[in-house]
């Protein structure tokens, strides 16, 4: 018996991009649904029950932020923003509003497929990454429950703030977390603009937990957006 295909809905106003995505995704075993406006996208999302939504931020009838806001009123399905580079601030706002990830145009098919797989995997493990007792990636091991961290064989001591930052990234492992989300979670609402706090603590984490802090394997920077803890 054939396994039902996972459905990807793409909300995007440019036909060539639909064609490119449709070709790539159907060739890789997904069913592809297309919408050219925000309104059409919202209707399809509600009626066709897609497993994942690809969302362009620059749409003719409403911006992607509005689409995100309306989708998030009732749907937890993963949303990956696909946007042009100049929409940086909107991209960050969309992440803060609950989209799962983003890709900047132009992007390659392997990158797209990897992001889709990762978002679908997170969505299907409904218990959530917080239930994972121990996070492992390469030489990094984190036991959230017992507040213990290892780099290779060696146990590493972190300050309480460093541990909080690491824990926030582990809870969202594989997903980009915005500077605002991290600052709010660790320091509080009043500190959302203190991005240098983050830089300092991220630097400490890299010094303590990366082989080469200049070329991080675990704590990846998403320029202008935030950070991502790498997963396999
Ligand atoms: Ca567009």
């Amino acid at each position: 018996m054939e396994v039902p295909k996972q459905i990807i809905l793409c909300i995007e106003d440019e036909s060539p991009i639909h064609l490119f995505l449709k070709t790539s995704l159907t060739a890789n075993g997904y069913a592809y649904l297309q919408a050219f406006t925000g309104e059409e996208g919202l209707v399809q999302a509600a009626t066709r029950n897609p497993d994942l939504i690809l969302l362009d931020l620059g749409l003719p009838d409403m911006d992607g932020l509005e689409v995100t806001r309306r989708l998030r009123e009732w749907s937890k399905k993963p949303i990956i923003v696909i946007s042009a580079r100049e929409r940086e601030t909107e991209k960050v706002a969309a992440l803060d509003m609950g989209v799962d990830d983003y890709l900047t145009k132009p992007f390659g098919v392997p990158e797209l497929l990897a992001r889709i797989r990762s978002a679908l995997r997170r969505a299907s493990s409904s218990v959530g990454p917080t239930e994972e007792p121990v996070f492992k990636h390469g030489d990094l091991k984190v036991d959230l429950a017992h507040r213990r961290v290892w780099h290779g064989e060696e146990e590493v001591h972190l300050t309480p703030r460093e541990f909080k930052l690491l824990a926030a990234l582990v809870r969202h492992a594989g997903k980009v977390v915005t500077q605002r989300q991290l600052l709010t979670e660790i320091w509080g609402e009043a500190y959302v603009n203190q991005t240098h706090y983050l830089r300092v603590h991220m630097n400490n984490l890299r010094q303590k937990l990366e082989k080469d802090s200049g070329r991080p394997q675990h704590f990846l920077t998403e320029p202008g957006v935030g950070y991502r803890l790498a997963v396999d």
Side-chain angles (χ1 to χ4, degrees):
M1 210 175 76
E2 216 179 313
V3 184
K5 287 181 177 173
Q6 288 181 298
I7 302 170
I8 295 178
L9 166 64
C10 179
I11 310 174
E12 157 70 71
D13 59 325
E14 288 170 68
S15 307
I17 294 183
H18 272 305
L19 186 60
F20 160 72
L21 290 172
K22 184 176 186 177
T23 310
S24 315
L25 293 176
T26 51
N28 282 281
Y30 296 103
Y32 188 82
L33 287 175
Q34 57 189 29
F36 288 83
T37 63
E39 202 59 59
E40 190 190 344
L42 288 167
V43 170
Q44 294 224 36
T47 54
R48 308 285 299 274
N49 195 28
D51 296 284
L52 180 144
I53 295 160
L54 295 174
L55 174 65
D56 176 26
L57 291 178
L59 294 166
D61 57 334
M62 65 179 85
D63 71 32
L65 291 183
E66 177 65 10
V67 178
T68 303
R69 194 184 61 73
R70 288 172 58 178
L71 279 171
R72 280 292 175 255
E73 284 172 357
W74 58 272
S75 170
K76 287 199 171 90
K77 288 292 159 70
I79 303 173
I80 299 177
V81 158
I82 46 175
S83 81
R85 196 168 294 280
E86 63 270 19
R87 294 191 170 264
E88 199 76 18
T89 52
E90 277 175 85
K91 198 159 71 185
V92 174
L95 286 161
D96 282 333
M97 215 175 260
V99 312
D100 296 77
D101 207 344
Y102 71 91
L103 279 162
T104 302
K105 295 175 192 168
F107 49 81
V109 175
E111 182 72 13
L112 171 71
L113 293 172
R115 297 297 176 84
I116 288 175
R117 274 196 305 272
S118 153
L120 287 172
R121 204 163 44 227
R122 277 196 304 272
S124 70
S125 61
S126 54
V127 281
T130 41
E131 306 294 313
E132 288 284 329
V134 176
F135 172 84
K136 277 189 209 150
H137 178 253
D139 57 13
L140 174 66
K141 192 169 116 184
V142 183
D143 182 342
L144 284 182
H146 301 98
R147 306 178 69 90
R148 297 180 72 184
V149 185
W150 293 264
H151 183 215
E153 296 296 301
E154 213 163 310
E155 185 160 4
V156 177
H157 174 78
L158 298 181
T159 67
R161 290 271 199 238
E162 287 162 7
F163 186 83
K164 259 185 136 172
L165 175 57
L166 175 62
L169 291 165
V170 167
R171 280 195 296 273
H172 302 285
K175 184 177 165 178
V176 56
V177 193
T178 65
Q179 297 180 345
R180 171 180 287 268
Q181 287 166 349
L182 289 169
L183 285 162
T184 307
E185 197 166 320
I186 295 149
W187 283 272
E189 281 287 354
Y191 294 83
V192 292
N193 295 315
Q194 308 297 324
T195 50
H196 62 282
Y197 285 16
L198 264 185
R199 272 199 302 277
V200 168
H201 285 78
M202 188 57 71
N203 190 39
N204 294 346
L205 282 184
R206 283 174 173 155
Q207 294 289 351
K208 291 180 179 183
L209 297 169
E210 295 279 5
K211 243 188 224 103
D212 175 357
S213 62
R215 290 175 40 230
Q217 308 290 306
H218 306 300
F219 303 97
L220 312 180
T221 300
E222 298 287 332
V225 179
Y227 299 94
R228 182 197 302 270
L229 182 62
V231 291
D232 293 316

